Amino acid sequence: MKKYIIGISSYYHESTVCIILNDAILDFVKEEEVTRVKGDNKFPRHALEKIVNKYQILESEIYAVVFYEKPFLSWASVTHHALSRPFHRWKIVLNQFQKFWTGSLSFSSDLLRIFNLSKDKIFYCPHHLSHALNGLYFSKNKSKKYLIFVFDGVGDGESLSIYRKEDQNIITEKKYKYPNSLGLLYSTVTQYLGFNINSGESKVMGLASYGAPIHAKLIMREIINYNKEDLNLNDDWFAFSSNPEISYSKKFIEQFGEPGKSSDYNNLNDKNFERLANIASSFQHVLENIITEIIIKFINKTGIKNIVFSGGVGLNSKAMQEISENSGAEELTVPASPGDSGSAAGAAIYGYMLKNGFKFPKFSYLPGAKFIDSNNKNLLKELFSKVSDRNNAEKKIANLILKGNVIATFIGNREFGPRALGSRSLLCAGNQSAVIENLNINLKKRELFRPLAPMIRDDLLDKYFYKIDNSVHNLYWMGLTMRARQITKDKYPKAVHIDGTSRVQIINKNNIFYHKLFLEVEKLKIDILINTSFNVAGDPMVFDYVDCYTNMKRMDLKYLFTDDGIFEIR
């Protein structure tokens, strides 16, 4: 008999549904993929309905539905902090009481509008435990001891949790409480620089490489108090605990100048660009140093050198490189989706453990199934003309790439996290600088300073990059950056960021299509492809053939590769 376990994250950022059937993750769907609203944080009704209809799930077949946090605890911790100074923080107090009826506290009632479940099938996993289980799912050897670090904004009132995994136990080592949060610190800087919180943090990381950390000493002296035991933010510099709309205070502006805006990033030689890049660099530098110090401290305390890093801060691939190189870790694992979206998987794994004990479902970093029915098949034929069958398509695609084409891919299962891993990607030759620049700026509409990621066959990794053995497994899902060798800078300059690093994806023989494709492009003297997500900047990745068509029209792309072959847009 089928038994489904459903994990859900919602109400904060990137609402997501993860579903386990028997011993494997069956699907993983973000609400934004269906609604086409970037970062959609509403209860994932559309994603759930897609899943229920696709798999014809009966309510009797559902073993458990697990929410990714404890709603009242999460609400109460922020509310309690706001009420400690109610006149100063009245906007947050008001916002919190409005959320009482519309936020995560309404999860059960929202769920029961879709499923007529008995309440004994509804469970709540502690927020940071959801992150931790999601991280452990990606680790190399589940039988080993691990230190698990969860850094995020806030969840269940916690901003940093450190766990020790031994045998079949996850033991708490230390907790840091709201509002003292490195995640909220970085989000504050993100908003100050003119980017959107929860989606613009990667832009800050990219921008930081253009600056110098000239403010790092000031930040450590005035803004953050970290003394190896406690981590405290100076509330004078922040407004997120008093204002739901603005995270930085007047003092922040007085020190660093006027907040950034999109037009500030149009000229990389402008003085204002330099000012903002220096601010980004300073906070990035401080983030990397504090995180690494904390990890070193707990490695020394416990003697455990296998590290799992999860939570939204785990998306900072440059900080993950710093940990890999300088923490003394023997293994570093960062999940493909370390933020709240991935916590839906962590919640589902928690439900799986309720049924099976301390066991994990079968591993896959491409768990998102295709939602392609007969109507979608007809749409493919209506919107595109077939160029070639799937057989031997690799050679044709290689030649199209050699001629300067950007190839859109819509193949196999969807990616787990926010990074395109070839399933929903745009590909071009890594040595055609003009094509890459056009793709980044004119087609995808990304900022000038943002880099694109290289894809390479694993056998050639050490030829072009300085491989670090303790973290190389993360490169299958672009978990961290690594240093490029001089040959890469010379032959593939657009695959290397200004700081000399790249966020690399590696391919092995198990990825049959890409392995064959690389053997073909290597014959054409192309060892590296550029791989970026199949979307215009600011939009969710494509979900169906209508999305493929719409995005290709907007970007003026010609070729789409699918499981049925190569197609040309009409």
Side-chain angles (χ1 to χ4, degrees):
M1 183 179 177
K2 294 178 181 177
K3 282 295 179 184
Y4 294 96
I5 297 166
I6 301 173
I8 296 177
S9 65
S10 188
Y11 305 105
Y12 182 64
H13 177 60
E14 276 193 347
S15 295
T16 302
V17 179
C18 179
I19 183 165
I20 295 174
L21 173 61
N22 300 332
D23 293 316
I25 292 179
L26 178 66
D27 219 326
F28 181 89
V29 183
K30 299 178 185 178
E31 184 74 351
E32 69 168 24
E33 293 177 300
V34 187
T35 64
R36 312 309 298 164
V37 177
K38 183 70 174 175
D40 197 333
N41 66 354
K42 299 182 183 66
F43 178 80
R45 176 175 63 86
H46 299 90
L48 265 175
E49 289 174 348
K50 280 278 186 185
I51 285 176
V52 170
N53 292 333
K54 179 178 175 65
Y55 301 106
Q56 295 295 297
I57 298 174
L58 303 175
E59 289 163 358
S60 60
E61 296 174 330
I62 298 174
Y63 175 79
V65 178
V66 186
F67 192 57
Y68 81 130
E69 69 176 11
K70 299 288 186 75
F72 185 77
L73 181 59
S74 187
W75 177 86
S77 60
V78 177
T79 305
H80 179 267
H81 179 76
L83 286 171
S84 65
R85 295 180 66 188
F87 294 106
H88 177 64
R89 299 172 179 152
W90 67 269
K91 289 183 179 179
I92 287 289
V93 172
L94 179 61
N95 188 60
Q96 283 298 106
F97 279 99
Q98 288 172 338
K99 280 185 177 180
F100 193 90
W101 305 108
T102 59
S104 59
L105 287 161
S106 66
F107 171 73
S108 179
S109 59
D110 286 340
L111 179 67
L112 294 175
R113 291 191 183 99
I114 296 177
F115 295 120
N116 185 25
L117 292 176
S118 60
K119 291 199 172 182
D120 62 358
K121 289 188 174 184
I122 303 174
F123 298 88
Y124 298 89
C125 180
H127 183 82
H128 280 191
L129 183 58
S130 295
H131 280 302
L133 292 174
N134 175 38
L136 274 173
Y137 175 72
F138 282 79
S139 62
K140 293 174 68 175
N141 185 347
K142 311 282 188 299
S143 65
K144 293 194 299 190
K145 295 180 180 180
Y146 282 94
L147 279 175
I148 309 167
F149 295 84
V150 178
F151 284 80
D152 68 355
V154 58
D156 295 349
E158 297 162 357
S159 59
L160 164 59
S161 295
I162 303 166
Y163 301 101
R164 190 174 79 254
K165 182 265 171 190
E166 293 188 4
D167 298 321
Q168 297 189 1
N169 298 302
I170 296 178
I171 303 155
T172 300
E173 280 285 331
K174 189 171 180 66
K175 299 276 189 179
Y176 291 77
K177 298 292 186 180
Y178 173 87
N180 299 304
S181 165
L182 289 177
L184 291 177
L185 167 74
Y186 208 82
S187 292
T188 298
V189 179
T190 299
Q191 188 181 53
Y192 168 81
L193 292 171
F195 309 124
N196 292 328
I197 290 176
N198 294 324
S199 63
E201 284 79 0
S202 62
K203 298 181 184 182
V204 179
M205 182 180 66
L207 177 63
S209 298
Y210 284 83
I214 61 174
H215 305 292
K217 289 183 179 179
L218 167 76
I219 294 167
M220 292 300 296
R221 185 177 66 248
E222 301 287 340
I223 301 177
I224 302 175
N225 177 23
Y226 174 64
N227 61 7
K228 311 278 193 217
E229 292 297 328
D230 291 309
L231 175 70
N232 295 291
L233 300 187
N234 184 340
D235 197 48
D236 293 342
W237 295 80
F238 303 96
F240 60 74
S241 62
S242 60
N243 189 333
E245 296 175 355
I246 300 294
S247 296
Y248 49 86
S249 70
K250 290 181 180 178
K251 185 169 184 176
F252 202 103
I253 297 172
E254 288 169 359
Q255 174 63 45
F256 295 113
E258 285 299 307
K261 52 188 183 299
S262 58
S263 59
D264 291 324
Y265 303 106
N266 294 334
N267 183 353
L268 304 188
N269 297 313
D270 185 78
K271 282 290 183 185
N272 203 38
F273 177 87
E274 182 183 359
R275 174 181 71 87
L276 297 170
N278 288 339
I279 294 167
S281 177
S282 300
F283 281 95
Q284 175 70 26
H285 180 81
V286 167
L287 178 79
E288 291 176 11
N289 284 355
I290 292 179
I291 287 173
T292 305
E293 282 190 33
I294 290 172
I295 290 174
I296 290 171
K297 172 189 170 182
F298 281 90
I299 286 177
N300 291 338
K301 177 183 176 182
T302 63
I304 299 172
K305 295 185 177 182
N306 302 310
I307 305 300
V308 169
F309 195 107
S310 195
V313 178
L315 288 167
N316 194 306
S317 52
K318 191 67 174 63
M320 299 307 101
Q321 177 189 339
E322 178 70 18
I323 296 167
S324 176
E325 291 180 343
N326 297 312
S327 69
E330 291 181 357
E331 178 192 328
L332 169 65
T333 293
V334 187
S337 186
D340 279 1
S341 178
S343 289
I349 291 167
Y350 179 82
Y352 181 82
M353 289 181 171
L354 292 176
K355 184 175 184 291
N356 299 288
F358 197 85
K359 297 177 182 177
F360 288 83
K362 294 174 184 175
F363 178 72
S364 170
Y365 60 88
L366 294 171
K370 290 178 75 170
F371 284 77
I372 303 300
D373 53 23
S374 58
N375 289 333
N376 261 283
K377 289 278 190 182
N378 291 333
L379 276 173
L380 179 62
K381 295 173 183 176
E382 291 173 14
L383 300 172
F384 298 88
S385 301
K386 195 163 191 176
V387 174
S388 168
D389 288 331
R390 175 67 178 81
N391 293 334
N392 300 315
E394 293 86 0
K395 187 171 184 177
K396 294 182 178 68
I397 293 172
N399 281 298
L400 288 170
I401 286 173
L402 179 66
K403 293 174 182 176
N405 288 286
V406 174
I407 307 297
T409 68
F410 190 85
I411 54 175
N413 281 7
R414 300 183 333 281
E415 286 83 353
F416 198 110
R419 291 156 184 159
L421 302 175
S423 294
R424 307 294 183 269
S425 286
L426 300 176
L427 305 173
C428 69
N431 58 356
Q432 295 179 358
S433 295
V435 175
I436 297 168
E437 194 165 312
N438 183 55
L439 170 62
N440 197 29
I441 298 168
N442 299 323
L443 304 188
K444 290 207 61 171
K445 311 295 184 187
R446 286 159 46 105
E447 289 84 358
L448 293 169
F449 61 81
R450 295 178 67 187
L452 289 176
M455 178 192 280
I456 190 170
R457 201 159 51 84
D458 58 354
D459 290 347
L460 294 178
L461 178 66
D462 202 36
K463 176 180 177 180
Y464 288 99
F465 299 93
Y466 292 97
K467 184 171 70 172
I468 308 171
D469 290 333
N470 67 2
S471 56
V472 70
H473 60 291
N474 298 280
L475 301 182
Y476 290 106
W477 50 87
M478 291 186 185
L480 70 165
T481 54
M482 59 194 313
R483 300 183 193 281
R485 295 186 184 273
Q486 189 60 46
I487 186 177
T488 318
K489 298 173 186 177
D490 293 339
K491 293 182 67 175
Y492 301 94
K494 291 294 183 181
V496 183
H497 198 31
I498 192 172
D499 64 356
T501 68
S502 302
R503 195 184 68 205
V504 184
Q505 181 190 359
I506 56 174
I507 296 297
N508 63 17
K509 291 180 180 179
N510 295 328
N511 195 325
I512 297 170
F513 164 71
Y514 276 100
H515 191 262
K516 287 183 178 179
L517 176 61
F518 269 103
L519 294 180
E520 292 296 336
V521 296
E522 286 165 20
K523 293 175 186 175
L524 305 174
K525 305 200 181 305
I526 302 170
D527 290 339
I528 290 176
L529 295 178
I530 291 297
N531 169 28
T532 186
S533 56
F534 189 176
N535 64 331
V536 176
D539 289 349
M541 276 197 276
V542 296
F543 187 72
D544 57 24
Y545 291 132
V546 172
D547 297 335
C548 292
Y549 181 83
T550 303
N551 278 272
M552 289 176 71
K553 275 292 187 185
R554 291 176 67 189
M555 290 186 277
D556 195 25
L557 297 177
K558 189 174 183 180
Y559 294 105
L560 174 70
F561 177 64
T562 79
D563 293 315
D564 295 315
I566 305 171
F567 289 81
E568 186 175 336
I569 195 166
R570 290 187 189 275

